[in-house]
Amino acid sequence: MNDSDHVTDMSDDTASDPISDTAQGQADVAPAPPDLSAPELYLNRELTWLSFNRRVLQLAADPRTPLLERVRFLAIVSGNIDGFFMKRIGGLKQLIVAGISTRSVDGRTPAQQIHECHTVVRQIQQERGTVFDNILEELRAEGIKLVTWQELDEADHQALRERYIQEIFPLVTPLAMDPGHPFPFISNLALNLLVTMRFPGEADVRTARVKVPGLPGIAPRLLALGSGATFISLDDVIANNLDLLFPGMRIESCELFRVTRNANVEMDQEQADDLLELMQTELKERHFAPIVRLQVAESMPAAQSAMLAAELGLDDEDVFTVGGLMAMNDLSVIADLPHAHLHYPPHQPADHSRLALDNRSIFHIIRDTGSLLLQHPYESFATSVERFLRSARSDPKVLAIKMTLYRTSADGRIINDLIEAARAGKQVAVLVELKARFDEAANIRWARRLEREGIHVTYGVMGLKTHCKIILVVRKDYDGLRRYAHIGTGNYHSQTARLYSDLGLLTCDDDITADLTGLTNYITGYSPAPRYRKLLVAPHNLKAALLNKIQREIGHANAGRRAHLQFKTNALEDSDITKALYEASMAGVSVDLLVRDTCRLRPGLPDVSPTVTVISTLGRFLEHARLYYFRNDGAEEYFLGSADLMHRNLEARVEVLTPVESKSLRRDLRTFLDIQLSDQRSAWDMGADGSYTLRQPSPELAHEGAQEEAQEGAQETLIALSEKHLAGASHGNDRQVRRKLYKEYRKRYKSNRDI
């Protein structure tokens, strides 16, 4: 699927294209330089993010994607759009309420952005419905069904009714809507039935709202029937058993609806005595936040839809009619069915080749190598990052652990390691970011638990969200205190580490670890921002350093030297960085951008960005790594870390980029970038108009993309090194251990290839 069908939404109607204007009049007058502040040069942040979701939807439509994974991508798109309304549309509506009509860098007012976003969302919704219908047919062919009440026979009806009475009916509460019963509160993202009815013999119509209970494991949205491969929605069951809720009443209609509330409810931190208490209050306030979207079933009469919109204080534009299944994120229960042939082949991360074949302390390994590069999920998070923290917990020579927690997993391994370290007498300090969007409640729980164990817990720098991913360990080595560190692009979350593509660095570099000491003192105490030796840290020196390095590359190009920039990031939104990249391209610098979703820059404009390519890669794993490369006239530089090229990340968050200086690790990063850029399976090329075109591989490469190549590469590297170590083993026991390891990994790798 190509995104060109909504290109008109990406530019103002009055914008001219091509961008550059040639001076009119005398032939010898030089062309006027492009105005790099012209709004038509910048794509809209919200619209390009929606375009990203259209590409995700294409994964659901792509027949090369395994069927149940296509169902999962449908669920992901639905959840993403929900989040978009809660965060982005909610924020734009707040600007309108505040009377702020300032135009974005692309020339749009908040009202214009909302209107254009609504248009694109309706298009996505329609396309998603078509994809959903096609998938339902294919699921049926595999014996997996999503049925309606009308499709079932009387025996099924009776069994479902009995189950409903026993397991769900006590949880359901009807709420009348009349002068004696005010319009009820509608919870965010909850499914509701709007029921109209009459008393027998009366003409007056009564209205009630029934909230569909959503309790995983107790009252799931999709109820499994029989063997578990047939499902029916709970709202459908309730709608066809309303006589239990309204005995003796004549049911006139029953229609489904759902509201989305603004998640941008932020209170004044400056006035807060207790940030933890403030966040708990903010979460409660979010429950009552203004509504930004109303979804109604396609069959709902216009009069009822208008009544709901009026009661909820919404305009007609805020009402979205949904055909088919509402809230498709609930399809994840079908996506999780254990039908192996309908899923991606099982993914087993390889142990890092250096760590798998060395049973010494991980600190000794890091000390001997200087730094280790980690590539998740192709290399195991558990046997690298979690091993690092677990070793710090149990090693008697480790004296202190400091780390940041933005998101972590429910299994609590990271939390438990920190608690065990504190119980062992080590100094443990943790910054828990309470304002990690939609994970606030979980982070409050982690913070409380850590505090109860006597761990030093802080919540960051006032006014800044702490987004960096760092662990700093202080150890008493044979030659004195030495610091070891992990810096990553992904969260300390064991589940997402198997689903997201991320990079990390384990290091004992003196300058980097000294920088991290200064940074942790800054974010946990009152020390001023330190002077960094190697790290690029937002909001202190990161943005200025990136801009200076881009200008340095421009200088090389102006001097006739080869100049090259390659950035891999989730988003390119910052207008200053975008402008600098335009200037670089105009100077002749080659610019390769791997941007997963939001991208303001328009590549391939003849006078502004002729040397720029923008690629978006989507596949089985969520591309989440951030990597920045500068050719620098042969003195190449690579930086990895947590920062995207967004204004908020560069100026309103604590972010860290670390240099990767080892020649061997830089070679690995060069391979990583080359594989990403040459992907012919999962890469989309962006056009100058903001549209995307999926690359079309040759038949022999139809199933081989960057992610598949990285999976194979991690396993093959480990096998090759296993063979090398095996050949060089010096004594019997060592040889036997390594032979066992080698056989284990060869078997694991071969089984994955054979599936």
Side-chain angles (χ1 to χ4, degrees):
M1 180 189 68
N2 192 299
D3 286 324
S4 59
D5 54 347
H6 75 287
V7 168
T8 53
D9 294 323
M10 310 298 272
S11 305
D12 284 333
D13 292 338
T14 58
S16 60
D17 204 359
I19 301 304
S20 62
D21 295 321
T22 303
Q24 302 299 311
Q26 301 298 322
D28 59 348
V29 176
D35 177 7
L36 295 184
S37 63
E40 58 266 25
L41 276 177
Y42 298 87
L43 297 172
N44 181 261
R45 170 183 174 175
E46 322 305 345
L47 293 172
T48 58
W49 195 87
L50 288 174
S51 177
F52 159 68
N53 280 277
R54 287 185 113 145
R55 299 194 295 281
V56 177
L57 183 58
Q58 174 61 25
L59 289 173
D62 192 336
R64 297 175 298 178
T65 305
L67 183 55
L68 289 180
E69 304 299 341
R70 292 167 63 190
V71 176
R72 193 181 311 281
F73 283 122
L74 270 181
I76 289 171
V77 171
S78 181
N80 284 353
I81 298 298
D82 287 346
F84 178 76
F85 273 89
M86 287 189 284
K87 294 186 290 184
R88 301 306 310 160
I89 298 297
L92 290 170
K93 282 184 172 285
Q94 283 181 319
L95 295 178
I96 293 174
V97 170
I100 299 173
S101 58
T102 305
R103 292 180 181 269
S104 56
V105 66
D106 51 278
R108 291 170 170 82
T109 65
Q112 286 175 318
Q113 293 183 71
I114 291 175
H115 175 72
E116 294 187 47
C117 287
H118 280 179
T119 300
V120 176
V121 168
R122 294 182 204 280
Q123 294 170 355
I124 292 174
Q125 185 175 281
Q126 185 175 4
E127 294 162 6
R128 184 180 61 190
T130 301
V131 174
F132 177 60
D133 290 341
N134 294 336
I135 286 177
L136 282 183
E137 291 184 15
E138 295 186 48
L139 287 172
R140 280 183 176 271
E142 294 287 345
I144 302 169
K145 301 176 184 178
L146 179 58
V147 299
T148 65
W149 183 268
Q150 286 70 30
E151 293 178 82
L152 300 175
D153 59 26
E154 189 59 36
D156 290 327
H157 288 172
Q158 191 57 42
L160 270 174
R161 184 178 175 90
E162 185 63 30
R163 179 180 174 185
Y164 171 60
I165 292 171
Q166 295 296 324
E167 301 177 11
I168 300 166
F169 178 69
L171 302 172
V172 183
T173 303
L175 294 175
M177 296 161 57
D178 57 38
H181 300 84
F183 191 85
F185 173 80
I186 310 297
S187 302
N188 183 41
L189 299 182
L191 290 166
N192 306 271
L193 295 171
L194 183 67
V195 184
T196 60
M197 68 203 84
R198 302 176 192 270
F199 280 106
E202 287 192 4
D204 292 341
V205 175
R206 314 288 176 134
T207 305
R209 171 257 192 166
V210 178
K211 180 179 178 180
V212 179
L215 297 171
I218 300 174
R221 167 76 187 291
L222 298 183
L223 300 174
L225 308 178
S227 63
T230 300
F231 297 85
I232 187 171
S233 68
L234 178 55
D235 35 288
D236 197 4
V237 174
I238 296 174
N240 284 280
N241 289 275
L242 290 174
D243 60 301
L244 297 172
L245 287 171
F246 307 104
M249 301 293 288
R250 176 182 172 184
I251 305 300
E252 298 289 332
S253 68
C254 178
E255 305 294 349
L256 195 65
F257 73 96
R258 182 176 185 248
V259 303
T260 309
R261 292 182 177 271
N262 186 3
N264 293 296
V265 182
E266 296 193 2
M267 300 180 176
D268 187 359
Q269 292 187 31
E270 299 290 345
Q271 303 299 319
D273 294 324
D274 186 332
L275 186 57
L276 197 64
E277 183 177 327
L278 175 75
M279 283 307 306
Q280 290 173 317
T281 302
E282 188 174 303
L283 287 175
K284 293 177 183 176
E285 289 297 319
R286 187 180 294 172
H287 184 64
F288 300 97
I291 295 171
V292 296
R293 176 181 61 164
L294 168 64
Q295 294 171 285
V296 300
E298 194 173 45
S299 55
M300 180 178 285
Q304 292 184 7
S305 175
M307 179 274 293
L308 285 174
E311 290 285 355
L312 298 171
L314 298 175
D315 297 328
D316 289 344
E317 189 181 39
D318 300 316
V319 181
F320 289 77
T321 300
V322 180
L325 186 71
M326 192 178 294
M328 286 191 187
N329 43 314
D330 291 320
L331 289 170
S332 57
V333 67
I334 295 178
D336 290 336
L337 286 173
H339 294 60
H341 68 292
L342 301 180
H343 286 286
Y344 286 119
H347 170 60
Q348 180 63 48
D351 289 347
H352 188 283
S353 57
R354 188 67 180 83
L355 297 173
L357 303 170
D358 195 331
N359 57 10
R360 294 179 300 155
S361 164
I362 193 170
F363 301 112
H364 294 174
I365 299 171
I366 296 171
R367 190 173 67 207
D368 289 349
T369 58
S371 296
L372 297 175
L373 178 68
L374 309 176
Q375 298 187 46
H376 310 303
Y378 316 113
E379 294 171 340
S380 171
F381 179 82
T383 58
S384 56
V385 178
E386 289 184 347
R387 174 182 171 182
F388 178 66
L389 193 57
R390 187 169 59 251
S391 298
R393 173 200 74 188
S394 57
D395 189 330
K397 293 186 177 181
V398 169
L399 306 177
I401 303 171
K402 303 179 182 183
M403 76 175 296
T404 59
L405 274 179
Y406 190 76
R407 305 184 200 275
T408 192
S409 50
D411 61 23
R413 294 180 197 169
I414 298 289
I415 300 296
N416 289 337
D417 284 338
L418 294 171
I419 290 172
E420 290 302 315
R423 289 175 178 174
K426 305 179 192 303
Q427 293 293 316
V428 181
V430 182
L431 184 143
V432 179
E433 178 48 69
L434 297 182
K435 296 177 75 63
R437 183 82 68 177
F438 304 131
D439 275 334
E440 297 96 335
N443 284 5
I444 288 171
R445 290 196 300 272
W446 300 135
R448 291 293 195 201
R449 184 180 174 194
L450 292 171
E451 286 178 329
R452 287 195 299 268
E453 295 291 340
I455 291 173
H456 303 296
V457 179
T458 60
Y459 309 117
V461 182
M462 192 68 71
L464 297 175
K465 186 180 288 188
T466 303
H467 188 249
C468 56
K469 330 298 184 184
I470 57 173
I471 303 174
L472 181 65
V473 172
V474 182
R475 186 175 188 270
K476 190 178 186 306
D477 280 6
Y478 68 94
D479 55 351
L481 292 182
R482 188 186 298 270
R483 291 168 288 202
Y484 299 83
H486 173 265
I487 301 174
T489 68
N491 297 303
Y492 295 112
H493 194 297
S494 59
Q495 277 88 42
T496 58
R498 296 179 68 92
L499 302 174
Y500 292 7
S501 172
D502 276 303
L503 296 169
L505 189 74
L506 287 169
T507 185
C508 61
D509 180 278
D510 289 337
D511 290 334
I512 291 174
T513 55
D515 283 350
L516 286 177
T517 299
L519 174 63
T520 54
N521 290 341
Y522 166 73
I523 60 180
T524 62
Y526 289 107
S527 64
R531 294 175 63 89
Y532 299 103
R533 307 177 192 182
K534 289 185 178 179
L535 293 183
L536 306 183
V537 180
H540 306 142
N541 67 345
L542 174 52
K543 183 172 180 177
L546 291 176
L547 290 171
N548 288 337
K549 291 177 185 297
I550 294 172
Q551 289 300 319
R552 182 185 64 190
E553 216 65 26
I554 292 173
H556 290 313
N558 288 336
R561 296 185 287 268
R562 283 184 58 197
H564 202 172
L565 299 168
Q566 292 180 322
F567 294 171
K568 178 174 172 58
T569 181
N570 294 338
L572 170 54
E573 178 269 342
D574 185 84
S575 57
D576 296 328
I577 297 291
T578 304
K579 181 179 178 181
L581 292 173
Y582 279 141
E583 292 172 345
S585 184
M586 292 165 63
V589 179
S590 295
V591 181
D592 298 320
L593 301 176
L594 291 155
V595 184
R596 186 188 72 196
D597 48 77
T598 297
C599 182
R600 286 202 183 275
L601 184 145
R602 299 175 62 177
L605 294 170
D607 297 330
V608 180
S609 55
T611 65
V612 180
T613 62
V614 177
I615 299 169
S616 174
T617 301
L618 283 78
R620 173 179 185 172
F621 305 113
L622 180 71
E623 292 292 334
H624 195 248
R626 293 87 164 185
L627 179 62
Y628 302 97
Y629 165 78
F630 306 86
R631 190 176 189 281
N632 192 25
D633 193 29
E636 298 174 313
E637 293 180 341
Y638 292 84
F639 290 84
L640 66 83
S642 57
D644 289 312
L645 298 177
M646 304 183 73
H647 175 81
R648 70 182 188 194
N649 296 77
L650 300 177
E651 299 190 28
R653 288 186 173 187
V654 179
E655 304 274 17
V656 169
L657 294 182
T658 181
V660 179
E661 297 177 320
S662 160
K663 288 183 179 180
S664 64
L665 300 190
R666 285 189 292 166
R667 283 196 298 270
D668 291 342
L669 290 175
R670 170 45 47 208
T671 300
F672 173 84
L673 283 173
D674 288 345
I675 290 173
Q676 290 270 321
L677 291 165
S678 62
D679 188 325
Q680 296 298 314
R681 164 63 177 84
S682 308
W684 295 73
D685 292 303
M686 186 193 221
D689 57 3
S691 65
Y692 284 83
T693 303
L694 180 62
R695 291 180 178 176
Q696 298 299 320
S698 57
E700 61 271 17
L701 295 176
H703 298 283
E704 288 294 325
Q707 294 185 353
E708 290 78 12
E709 192 167 345
Q711 282 181 275
E712 292 188 8
Q715 301 284 359
E716 288 171 345
T717 297
L718 183 57
I719 289 171
L721 288 176
S722 298
E723 292 170 338
K724 181 179 178 181
H725 278 271
L726 180 63
S730 58
H731 56 82
N733 289 339
D734 191 29
R735 187 178 179 86
Q736 290 174 6
V737 169
R738 286 178 171 153
R739 180 179 292 279
K740 184 178 179 181
L741 270 174
Y742 168 70
K743 287 183 176 180
E744 176 186 342
Y745 280 103
R746 170 61 73 178
K747 180 180 178 182
R748 182 188 300 173
Y749 176 64
K750 187 176 186 301
S751 66
N752 285 343
R753 288 293 299 271
D754 289 344
I755 288 174

